[in-house]
């Protein structure tokens, strides 16, 4: 799908891009092809796409995966997506992905191998976290993100950008920035540079969706110590957290940004172990 195609589709279906829904439609065939290559879809796989828009990725992905499901918030795209997705054996749920519940899914065992999204920038982080929560066994996520979010995903400990997104994606698996995409590859062009990133689940990773709330709690009060921040969530007492940190050989006044991702897992395991006793 190139620029002329996107403009033609917008005209044919009487559509326009809504800025409030983060709508920047891909119009670069090369980029679309590279993203689909990274998804490594085959007929044994189930693919979930979040925000198919006009179908730049979907019109090909629907033929590459065995099962293809898209979740799109904007019902104005129904006619277009019936032509390119539903008409070709895929399914579309028209809903805010952040409000998606298991009952919305085509069947209760639905579990994507691959999640694909040119993410709407205004809800990028919550969507990424919900995917890891909803589909813990997903093998690969291929996302287009804005530069600022990329920094938060790849951030290292003791830096300003280091936080839940960096920790949780690391605990999930391996992450790799693949390439940048300039504004001219979208209609309309966004203000920032975008990047394509792949997050792959690693077999060794001991991923638990409960880690999301735990790590978010640890970073909730950024200026406070980990003990103060995490205890303010009301799940673990200050004493328990401090003694778990001591067991790990960590100082009591450590801040969350000083902990490497695996240390959050260790801390969670110790605290849960004590709770379960
Ligand atoms: N995939 C298309 C492409 O690459 O050209 C469109 C990408 S556009 C950046 C983001 C898409 O996500 C839009 O179609 C928008 O309507 C949709 N979207 C925005 N917020 C959403 C949400 N909360 N849940 C599901 N879809 C959403």
């Amino acid at each position: 799908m190139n620029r002329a195609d996107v403009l033609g589709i917008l005209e044919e279906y009487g559509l326009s891009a809504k800025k409030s829904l983060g709508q920047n439609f891909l119009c670069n065939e090369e980029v679309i092809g590279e993203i689909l290559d990274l998804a490594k879809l085959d007929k044994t796989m189930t693919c979930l796409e979040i925000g198919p828009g006009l179908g730049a990725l979907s019109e090909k992905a629907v033929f590459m995966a065995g099962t293809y499901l898209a979740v799109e918030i904007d019902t104005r795209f129904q006619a277009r997506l019936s032509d390119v997705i539903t008409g070709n054996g895929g399914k579309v749920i028209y809903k805010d992905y952040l409000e998606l519940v298991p009952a919305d899914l085509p069947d209760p065992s639905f579990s994507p191998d691959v999640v694909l999204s040119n993410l709407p920038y205004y809800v990028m982080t919550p969507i990424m976290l919900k995917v890891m929560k909803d589909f813990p066994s997903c093998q690969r996520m291929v996302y287009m993100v804005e530069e600022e979010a990329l920094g938060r995903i790849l951030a290292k400990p003791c830096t300003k950008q280091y936080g839940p997104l960096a920790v949780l994606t690391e605990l999930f698996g391996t992450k790799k920035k693949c390439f940048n995409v300039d504004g001219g590859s979208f209609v309309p062009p966004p203000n920032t540079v975008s990047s394509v990133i792949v997050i792959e689940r690693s077999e060794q990773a001991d991923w638990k969706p409960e880690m999301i709330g735990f790590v978010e709690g640890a970073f909730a009060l950024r200026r406070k110590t980990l003990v103060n921040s995490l205890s303010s969530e009301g799940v673990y007492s200050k004493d328990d957290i401090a003694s778990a940190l001591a067991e790990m050989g960590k100082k009591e006044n450590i801040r969350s940004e000083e902990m490497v991702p695996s240390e959050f897992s260790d801390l969670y395991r110790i605290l849960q172990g004590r709770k379960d006793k």
Side-chain angles (χ1 to χ4, degrees), residues 1 18 20-27 32 49-58 71-74 77 95-98 117-123 127 144 186:
M1 197 181 282
K18 263 192 196 168
S20 61
L21 292 179
Q23 291 175 356
N24 302 97
F25 304 115
L26 261 172
C27 64
I32 293 167
E49 184 182 356
I50 300 166
L54 304 178
L57 299 167
S58 349
V71 180
E72 170 58 62
I73 197 170
D74 194 339
F77 298 152
K95 191 154 188 177
D96 178 344
Y97 177 72
L98 296 176
S117 186
N118 172 6
L119 284 162
Y121 293 168
Y122 76 109
V123 276
I127 288 182
M144 172 92 72
F186 303 88

Short mmCIF file of all heavy atoms in Angstrom, two decimals, residues 1 18 20-27 32 49-58 71-74 77 95-98 117-123 127 144 186, ligand 1:
data_model
loop_
_atom_site.label_atom_id
_atom_site.label_comp_id
_atom_site.label_asym_id
_atom_site.label_seq_id
_atom_site.Cartn_x
_atom_site.Cartn_y
_atom_site.Cartn_z
N MET A 1 0.85 -1.19 0.00
CA MET A 1 0.00 0.00 0.00
C MET A 1 0.89 1.25 0.00
O MET A 1 1.67 1.45 0.92
CB MET A 1 -0.86 -0.02 1.28
CG MET A 1 -2.05 0.90 1.20
SD MET A 1 -3.02 0.88 2.72
CE MET A 1 -3.94 -0.63 2.59
N LYS A 18 -8.16 10.27 12.15
CA LYS A 18 -8.51 10.95 13.40
C LYS A 18 -7.25 11.02 14.26
O LYS A 18 -6.74 9.98 14.72
CB LYS A 18 -9.55 10.12 14.17
CG LYS A 18 -10.97 10.58 13.96
CD LYS A 18 -11.89 9.91 14.97
CE LYS A 18 -13.32 10.07 14.51
NZ LYS A 18 -14.24 9.23 15.25
N SER A 20 -6.98 12.05 17.27
CA SER A 20 -7.25 11.63 18.66
C SER A 20 -7.13 10.11 18.82
O SER A 20 -6.97 9.62 19.93
CB SER A 20 -8.64 12.08 19.08
OG SER A 20 -9.60 11.48 18.25
N LEU A 21 -7.21 9.36 17.72
CA LEU A 21 -7.07 7.90 17.81
C LEU A 21 -5.70 7.45 17.31
O LEU A 21 -5.48 6.27 17.02
CB LEU A 21 -8.18 7.20 17.02
CG LEU A 21 -9.60 7.36 17.59
CD1 LEU A 21 -10.62 6.65 16.72
CD2 LEU A 21 -9.68 6.80 19.02
N GLY A 22 -4.78 8.38 17.20
CA GLY A 22 -3.41 8.03 16.80
C GLY A 22 -3.33 7.46 15.40
O GLY A 22 -2.53 6.56 15.14
N GLN A 23 -4.17 7.96 14.50
CA GLN A 23 -4.23 7.36 13.17
C GLN A 23 -3.21 7.97 12.20
O GLN A 23 -3.36 9.08 11.71
CB GLN A 23 -5.65 7.49 12.60
CG GLN A 23 -6.61 6.58 13.37
CD GLN A 23 -8.07 6.72 12.96
OE1 GLN A 23 -8.42 7.56 12.13
NE2 GLN A 23 -8.91 5.90 13.54
N ASN A 24 -2.15 7.22 11.97
CA ASN A 24 -1.13 7.54 10.96
C ASN A 24 -0.99 6.27 10.13
O ASN A 24 -0.50 5.26 10.64
CB ASN A 24 0.21 7.91 11.60
CG ASN A 24 0.08 9.09 12.55
OD1 ASN A 24 -0.05 8.92 13.76
ND2 ASN A 24 0.09 10.28 12.02
N PHE A 25 -1.48 6.31 8.91
CA PHE A 25 -1.56 5.09 8.11
C PHE A 25 -0.27 4.85 7.32
O PHE A 25 0.22 5.75 6.64
CB PHE A 25 -2.76 5.17 7.16
CG PHE A 25 -4.06 5.43 7.88
CD1 PHE A 25 -4.75 6.62 7.67
CD2 PHE A 25 -4.57 4.50 8.77
CE1 PHE A 25 -5.94 6.88 8.35
CE2 PHE A 25 -5.76 4.75 9.45
CZ PHE A 25 -6.45 5.94 9.24
N LEU A 26 0.21 3.62 7.41
CA LEU A 26 1.45 3.26 6.71
C LEU A 26 1.24 3.33 5.20
O LEU A 26 0.22 2.84 4.68
CB LEU A 26 1.84 1.83 7.07
CG LEU A 26 2.90 1.65 8.14
CD1 LEU A 26 3.02 0.19 8.51
CD2 LEU A 26 4.25 2.19 7.68
N CYS A 27 2.19 3.94 4.51
CA CYS A 27 2.05 4.05 3.05
C CYS A 27 3.40 3.78 2.39
O CYS A 27 3.78 4.47 1.45
CB CYS A 27 1.50 5.41 2.67
SG CYS A 27 2.59 6.79 3.09
N ILE A 32 6.20 -2.00 5.06
CA ILE A 32 5.15 -2.99 5.32
C ILE A 32 5.72 -4.40 5.14
O ILE A 32 5.54 -5.28 5.97
CB ILE A 32 3.93 -2.75 4.38
CG1 ILE A 32 3.25 -1.42 4.75
CG2 ILE A 32 2.94 -3.92 4.44
CD1 ILE A 32 2.25 -0.91 3.73
N GLU A 49 -3.78 -8.57 15.42
CA GLU A 49 -3.31 -7.23 15.08
C GLU A 49 -4.15 -6.21 15.85
O GLU A 49 -5.39 -6.29 15.87
CB GLU A 49 -3.41 -6.94 13.58
CG GLU A 49 -2.81 -5.57 13.28
CD GLU A 49 -2.88 -5.13 11.82
OE1 GLU A 49 -3.33 -5.91 10.96
OE2 GLU A 49 -2.48 -3.98 11.56
N ILE A 50 -3.48 -5.27 16.48
CA ILE A 50 -4.20 -4.22 17.21
C ILE A 50 -4.15 -2.95 16.36
O ILE A 50 -3.07 -2.48 16.00
CB ILE A 50 -3.57 -4.00 18.60
CG1 ILE A 50 -3.65 -5.31 19.39
CG2 ILE A 50 -4.31 -2.88 19.35
CD1 ILE A 50 -2.80 -5.34 20.63
N GLY A 51 -5.32 -2.45 16.02
CA GLY A 51 -5.42 -1.23 15.23
C GLY A 51 -5.08 -1.44 13.77
O GLY A 51 -4.11 -0.86 13.26
N PRO A 52 -5.87 -2.25 13.03
CA PRO A 52 -5.55 -2.49 11.61
C PRO A 52 -5.73 -1.27 10.72
O PRO A 52 -5.15 -1.21 9.63
CB PRO A 52 -6.54 -3.60 11.21
CG PRO A 52 -7.67 -3.47 12.17
CD PRO A 52 -7.07 -3.01 13.46
N GLY A 53 -6.53 -0.30 11.16
CA GLY A 53 -6.72 0.92 10.36
C GLY A 53 -7.30 0.61 8.99
O GLY A 53 -8.35 -0.01 8.88
N LEU A 54 -6.58 0.99 7.94
CA LEU A 54 -7.07 0.75 6.57
C LEU A 54 -6.62 -0.63 6.07
O LEU A 54 -6.95 -1.01 4.95
CB LEU A 54 -6.54 1.83 5.63
CG LEU A 54 -6.88 3.27 6.02
CD1 LEU A 54 -6.27 4.24 5.01
CD2 LEU A 54 -8.38 3.49 6.11
N GLY A 55 -5.81 -1.33 6.88
CA GLY A 55 -5.42 -2.69 6.52
C GLY A 55 -4.07 -2.82 5.84
O GLY A 55 -3.82 -3.82 5.16
N ALA A 56 -3.19 -1.85 6.03
CA ALA A 56 -1.88 -1.90 5.37
C ALA A 56 -1.14 -3.20 5.67
O ALA A 56 -0.54 -3.81 4.76
CB ALA A 56 -1.02 -0.71 5.81
N LEU A 57 -1.16 -3.63 6.93
CA LEU A 57 -0.50 -4.89 7.30
C LEU A 57 -1.48 -6.06 7.14
O LEU A 57 -1.13 -7.14 6.68
CB LEU A 57 -0.01 -4.82 8.75
CG LEU A 57 1.01 -3.71 9.06
CD1 LEU A 57 1.19 -3.53 10.57
CD2 LEU A 57 2.36 -4.06 8.42
N SER A 58 -2.72 -5.81 7.55
CA SER A 58 -3.73 -6.88 7.58
C SER A 58 -4.00 -7.50 6.23
O SER A 58 -4.22 -8.71 6.14
CB SER A 58 -5.06 -6.34 8.12
OG SER A 58 -4.92 -5.06 8.65
N VAL A 71 -8.26 -6.15 16.33
CA VAL A 71 -9.10 -5.36 17.25
C VAL A 71 -8.93 -3.90 16.85
O VAL A 71 -7.81 -3.39 16.86
CB VAL A 71 -8.68 -5.56 18.72
CG1 VAL A 71 -9.56 -4.73 19.64
CG2 VAL A 71 -8.76 -7.04 19.11
N GLU A 72 -10.03 -3.28 16.46
CA GLU A 72 -9.97 -1.89 15.98
C GLU A 72 -11.03 -1.07 16.72
O GLU A 72 -12.18 -1.47 16.81
CB GLU A 72 -10.21 -1.86 14.46
CG GLU A 72 -10.41 -0.49 13.84
CD GLU A 72 -9.23 0.47 14.07
OE1 GLU A 72 -8.13 0.16 13.60
OE2 GLU A 72 -9.43 1.52 14.72
N ILE A 73 -10.62 0.09 17.21
CA ILE A 73 -11.54 0.92 17.99
C ILE A 73 -12.52 1.68 17.08
O ILE A 73 -13.63 2.02 17.49
CB ILE A 73 -10.72 1.91 18.87
CG1 ILE A 73 -11.58 2.50 19.98
CG2 ILE A 73 -10.10 3.01 18.04
CD1 ILE A 73 -10.77 3.30 21.01
N ASP A 74 -12.09 1.94 15.85
CA ASP A 74 -12.83 2.88 15.01
C ASP A 74 -13.79 2.14 14.06
O ASP A 74 -13.35 1.54 13.07
CB ASP A 74 -11.83 3.73 14.21
CG ASP A 74 -12.48 4.94 13.58
OD1 ASP A 74 -13.72 4.94 13.41
OD2 ASP A 74 -11.74 5.89 13.25
N PHE A 77 -14.12 2.10 10.02
CA PHE A 77 -13.33 1.28 9.09
C PHE A 77 -14.01 -0.04 8.71
O PHE A 77 -13.43 -0.86 8.01
CB PHE A 77 -11.94 0.96 9.68
CG PHE A 77 -11.09 2.18 9.94
CD1 PHE A 77 -10.13 2.17 10.95
CD2 PHE A 77 -11.25 3.33 9.20
CE1 PHE A 77 -9.35 3.28 11.21
CE2 PHE A 77 -10.47 4.46 9.45
CZ PHE A 77 -9.52 4.44 10.45
N LYS A 95 -13.58 -2.64 19.05
CA LYS A 95 -13.56 -2.33 20.48
C LYS A 95 -12.23 -1.66 20.82
O LYS A 95 -11.23 -1.88 20.13
CB LYS A 95 -13.69 -3.64 21.26
CG LYS A 95 -13.94 -3.45 22.72
CD LYS A 95 -14.66 -4.62 23.35
CE LYS A 95 -15.04 -4.22 24.77
NZ LYS A 95 -15.80 -5.22 25.48
N ASP A 96 -12.23 -0.89 21.88
CA ASP A 96 -10.98 -0.37 22.45
C ASP A 96 -10.22 -1.58 22.99
O ASP A 96 -10.74 -2.30 23.86
CB ASP A 96 -11.35 0.61 23.57
CG ASP A 96 -10.12 1.19 24.26
OD1 ASP A 96 -9.02 0.63 24.10
OD2 ASP A 96 -10.29 2.18 24.98
N TYR A 97 -9.02 -1.82 22.51
CA TYR A 97 -8.29 -3.01 22.99
C TYR A 97 -8.13 -2.99 24.51
O TYR A 97 -8.13 -4.04 25.15
CB TYR A 97 -6.90 -3.12 22.32
CG TYR A 97 -6.13 -4.28 22.88
CD1 TYR A 97 -6.50 -5.58 22.56
CD2 TYR A 97 -5.09 -4.09 23.79
CE1 TYR A 97 -5.85 -6.67 23.13
CE2 TYR A 97 -4.43 -5.18 24.37
CZ TYR A 97 -4.82 -6.47 24.03
OH TYR A 97 -4.18 -7.53 24.61
N LEU A 98 -8.03 -1.80 25.09
CA LEU A 98 -7.83 -1.72 26.54
C LEU A 98 -9.06 -2.20 27.30
O LEU A 98 -8.99 -2.49 28.49
CB LEU A 98 -7.46 -0.29 26.96
CG LEU A 98 -6.13 0.21 26.40
CD1 LEU A 98 -5.89 1.65 26.78
CD2 LEU A 98 -4.98 -0.68 26.88
N SER A 117 1.37 -4.72 15.67
CA SER A 117 0.68 -3.43 15.79
C SER A 117 1.57 -2.26 15.42
O SER A 117 2.68 -2.14 15.91
CB SER A 117 0.15 -3.23 17.22
OG SER A 117 -0.63 -2.05 17.28
N ASN A 118 1.03 -1.42 14.55
CA ASN A 118 1.56 -0.08 14.37
C ASN A 118 0.82 0.68 15.45
O ASN A 118 -0.31 1.12 15.24
CB ASN A 118 1.25 0.40 12.95
CG ASN A 118 1.61 1.85 12.73
OD1 ASN A 118 2.19 2.49 13.60
ND2 ASN A 118 1.22 2.37 11.59
N LEU A 119 1.41 0.76 16.62
CA LEU A 119 0.68 1.18 17.82
C LEU A 119 0.20 2.62 17.76
O LEU A 119 0.95 3.52 17.36
CB LEU A 119 1.57 1.01 19.05
CG LEU A 119 1.75 -0.42 19.56
CD1 LEU A 119 2.97 -0.52 20.47
CD2 LEU A 119 0.52 -0.91 20.30
N PRO A 120 -1.05 2.84 18.19
CA PRO A 120 -1.50 4.22 18.34
C PRO A 120 -0.71 4.85 19.49
O PRO A 120 -0.68 4.30 20.60
CB PRO A 120 -2.99 4.07 18.69
CG PRO A 120 -3.18 2.66 19.14
CD PRO A 120 -2.08 1.84 18.56
N TYR A 121 -0.01 5.94 19.20
CA TYR A 121 0.97 6.45 20.14
C TYR A 121 0.37 6.90 21.49
O TYR A 121 1.04 6.82 22.50
CB TYR A 121 1.77 7.59 19.50
CG TYR A 121 2.66 7.11 18.36
CD1 TYR A 121 3.28 8.00 17.51
CD2 TYR A 121 2.88 5.75 18.16
CE1 TYR A 121 4.09 7.55 16.47
CE2 TYR A 121 3.67 5.30 17.11
CZ TYR A 121 4.28 6.20 16.28
OH TYR A 121 5.07 5.75 15.26
N TYR A 122 -0.89 7.31 21.50
CA TYR A 122 -1.45 7.83 22.75
C TYR A 122 -1.74 6.73 23.79
O TYR A 122 -1.96 7.05 24.95
CB TYR A 122 -2.73 8.65 22.47
CG TYR A 122 -3.96 7.80 22.15
CD1 TYR A 122 -5.01 7.69 23.04
CD2 TYR A 122 -4.05 7.09 20.96
CE1 TYR A 122 -6.12 6.91 22.76
CE2 TYR A 122 -5.14 6.31 20.67
CZ TYR A 122 -6.18 6.23 21.57
OH TYR A 122 -7.27 5.44 21.29
N VAL A 123 -1.75 5.47 23.36
CA VAL A 123 -2.01 4.38 24.31
C VAL A 123 -0.98 3.25 24.18
O VAL A 123 -1.26 2.10 24.50
CB VAL A 123 -3.41 3.76 24.15
CG1 VAL A 123 -4.47 4.52 24.89
CG2 VAL A 123 -3.78 3.57 22.69
N ILE A 127 -1.26 -0.54 26.03
CA ILE A 127 -1.54 -1.66 25.12
C ILE A 127 -0.45 -2.72 25.24
O ILE A 127 -0.71 -3.92 25.37
CB ILE A 127 -1.72 -1.19 23.66
CG1 ILE A 127 -3.06 -0.46 23.51
CG2 ILE A 127 -1.66 -2.39 22.69
CD1 ILE A 127 -3.39 0.02 22.09
N MET A 144 5.37 -1.08 15.96
CA MET A 144 5.91 0.22 15.53
C MET A 144 5.66 1.15 16.71
O MET A 144 4.52 1.27 17.19
CB MET A 144 5.11 0.71 14.32
CG MET A 144 5.46 2.11 13.92
SD MET A 144 6.75 2.13 12.68
CE MET A 144 5.86 1.54 11.26
N PHE A 186 4.04 7.63 6.37
CA PHE A 186 2.68 7.59 6.92
C PHE A 186 1.82 8.71 6.32
O PHE A 186 2.32 9.77 5.98
CB PHE A 186 2.70 7.82 8.44
CG PHE A 186 3.54 6.85 9.21
CD1 PHE A 186 4.89 7.10 9.42
CD2 PHE A 186 2.98 5.69 9.75
CE1 PHE A 186 5.68 6.22 10.16
CE2 PHE A 186 3.76 4.81 10.48
CZ PHE A 186 5.11 5.06 10.69
N1 LIG B 1 -2.27 -0.55 11.18
C1 LIG B 1 -2.59 0.64 10.42
C2 LIG B 1 -1.39 1.05 9.61
O1 LIG B 1 -0.28 0.58 9.93
O2 LIG B 1 -1.54 1.83 8.68
C3 LIG B 1 -3.08 1.79 11.30
C4 LIG B 1 -2.09 2.22 12.37
S1 LIG B 1 -2.58 3.68 13.25
C5 LIG B 1 -1.00 4.23 13.82
C6 LIG B 1 -3.28 3.08 14.79
C7 LIG B 1 -4.58 2.30 14.63
O3 LIG B 1 -4.99 1.91 15.94
C8 LIG B 1 -5.75 3.10 14.06
O4 LIG B 1 -6.45 2.29 13.16
C9 LIG B 1 -6.62 3.42 15.28
O5 LIG B 1 -7.98 3.61 14.97
C10 LIG B 1 -6.39 2.19 16.11
N2 LIG B 1 -6.60 2.39 17.56
C11 LIG B 1 -6.38 3.52 18.28
N3 LIG B 1 -6.64 3.31 19.59
C12 LIG B 1 -7.03 2.02 19.69
C13 LIG B 1 -7.44 1.21 20.78
N4 LIG B 1 -7.48 1.71 22.03
N5 LIG B 1 -7.80 -0.06 20.55
C14 LIG B 1 -7.76 -0.58 19.28
N6 LIG B 1 -7.38 0.15 18.20
C15 LIG B 1 -7.01 1.42 18.40
#
